[in-house]
Amino acid sequence: MNTIEQLKKWVKESENIVFFGGAGVSTESKIPDFRSVDGLYHQQYQYPPEIILSHSFYQSHTEEFYRFYRSKMLFPDAKPNQTHIRLAELEKEGKLKAVITQNIDGLHQKAGSQCVLELHGSVLRNYCQSCHKFYGIEEILNGKDVPRCSCGGRIKPDVVLYEEGLDSAILSEAINKIQKADVLIVGGTSLTVYPAAGLIDYYQGNKLVLINRSVTPMDARANLLIQDSLGKVFSQV
């Protein structure tokens, strides 16, 4: 039995699948993984992305933060791809219990997924740091310089920046879902960014599936390892 056939068998037999995904889920929707194209940013920005997208940089260089954020982090026209769509279908079929994502693009919800745990927040949500009024993505896209609330406060994206902690309630729910899963499918993530990468430590089953184009530090732990594009895999599952 080849790897795809094995995955299909596990999916067919299970009613408690959890999917944990990273940037590779959305690259097929033409949303770039900024880690792989640092060279492009150095032509236009004085700092690497990890510095610009940090809490301290946001505080001290807010205008430069927003210049980068608007041009490199917002993709309002992006459409869900085969992976997003198939995961939403598996949820409707009663098989998939949760999508846990490191992505901030909202494409899982656009595809129809209901139970989506966004570890790093979402670009679709923004809030005033003074009065906590909510704003959508349009306020950021259409604005210039630093976006301001009607109260005068600064509007901040509801995304987890470097140096900031993950939402403890979302993290707890993600751990709970993974602990209960029969099948854990991990896809499109290098499994190098913590604490998110450490989530697979909570999986207690024997059907850990890793799908990634490149090698990850967790490959040896996988019960099923598929080194291929997510879209190609999910179009067959």
Side-chain angles (χ1 to χ4, degrees), residues 54-66 70 126-135 139-140 144-158 161 164:
S54 69
H55 177 80
S56 53
F57 192 91
Y58 168 78
Q59 295 286 70
S60 61
H61 298 76
T62 314
E63 285 190 20
E64 181 72 0
F65 169 89
Y66 270 108
R70 282 191 182 96
N126 305 275
Y127 64 93
C128 171
Q129 291 185 279
S130 298
C131 74
H132 302 289
K133 181 180 177 181
F134 171 86
Y135 288 91
E139 202 70 29
I140 310 299
K144 291 182 178 179
D145 304 322
V146 179
R148 293 283 174 183
C149 175
S150 52
C151 80
R154 187 166 64 189
I155 298 172
K156 182 180 185 290
D158 188 14
L161 302 176
E164 295 179 344

Side-chain angles (χ1 to χ4, degrees), residues 164-183:
E164 295 179 344
L166 302 189
D167 183 297
S168 58
I170 291 174
L171 197 56
S172 293
E173 193 176 351
I175 289 169
N176 183 46
K177 296 287 189 189
I178 287 173
Q179 285 175 329
K180 292 178 178 176
D182 295 332
V183 179

